[in-house]
Amino acid sequence: MKTVPVEIVTPERKVFSDDVQMVIARGGAGDLGILPGHTPLVTTLKISGVRIRLKDGSEQQVAVSGGFMEVKPDKITILAEAAELPEEIDVDRAQRARERAEARLAATGAENFDFRRAELSLQRAINRLQVAKGKELK
């Protein structure tokens, strides 16, 4: 089967780099399945798990907290605000972040409350927990 090189990078580091069979990512307009030779495109990415089908047919997930994906016929680059492999995710920390975000959302009557920020914090925490457990964010 054909493969295409994929790089997932954040401002701090390169999170993933390998030749893969396919990338499935949640773009701004919906889910995208990218195969080698795909038509060039650039899209925003939502907070989600990016699924990567490796050369051997197995799948790898990466928790991505927004960013952009650039697709060329011969390379896929994901520029993410933050990204983590499942084994890098601190599940206890993610669970605490989820609980804090849920508590903030429950207390919406507070002065200077930033609903969108709390909502995004909750999405990031849920995404990290689901990728760590091998599930996809719905």
Side-chain angles (χ1 to χ4, degrees):
M1 165 151 275
K2 287 181 151 183
T3 61
V4 61
V6 173
E7 281 192 347
I8 300 176
V9 296
T10 69
E12 292 82 31
R13 68 189 180 109
K14 186 183 298 186
V15 176
F16 179 89
S17 180
D18 201 358
D19 290 346
V20 305
Q21 293 181 18
M22 182 178 193
V23 173
I24 301 169
R26 183 150 300 152
D31 289 350
L32 298 161
I34 310 295
L35 295 167
H38 194 283
T39 303
L41 71 89
V42 174
T43 185
T44 58
L45 293 176
K46 293 192 174 191
I47 296 169
S48 65
V50 173
R51 292 174 37 209
I52 302 166
R53 183 164 302 137
L54 304 172
K55 289 182 275 195
D56 65 4
S58 66
E59 282 199 7
Q60 168 76 53
Q61 279 203 79
V62 180
V64 174
S65 294
F68 297 90
M69 177 169 62
E70 177 187 35
V71 177
K72 296 179 182 177
D74 60 346
K75 185 174 183 180
I76 302 168
T77 305
I78 294 176
L79 305 170
E81 295 169 21
E84 294 174 281
L85 297 169
E87 60 272 14
E88 298 171 339
I89 296 172
D90 182 338
V91 174
D92 292 333
R93 182 173 170 239
Q95 184 61 40
R96 289 190 306 272
R98 178 183 186 167
E99 291 165 1
R100 281 192 308 274
E102 288 172 339
R104 282 196 305 266
L105 288 169
T108 57
E111 200 171 310
N112 297 325
F113 179 73
D114 188 344
F115 180 83
R116 184 66 181 147
R117 183 176 171 200
E119 186 179 57
L120 289 171
S121 293
L122 180 59
Q123 287 177 8
R124 284 189 301 270
I126 290 170
N127 180 46
R128 293 176 73 229
L129 288 167
Q130 289 179 331
V131 168
K133 294 177 183 173
K135 296 179 182 175
E136 185 179 347
L137 181 64
K138 297 291 179 191

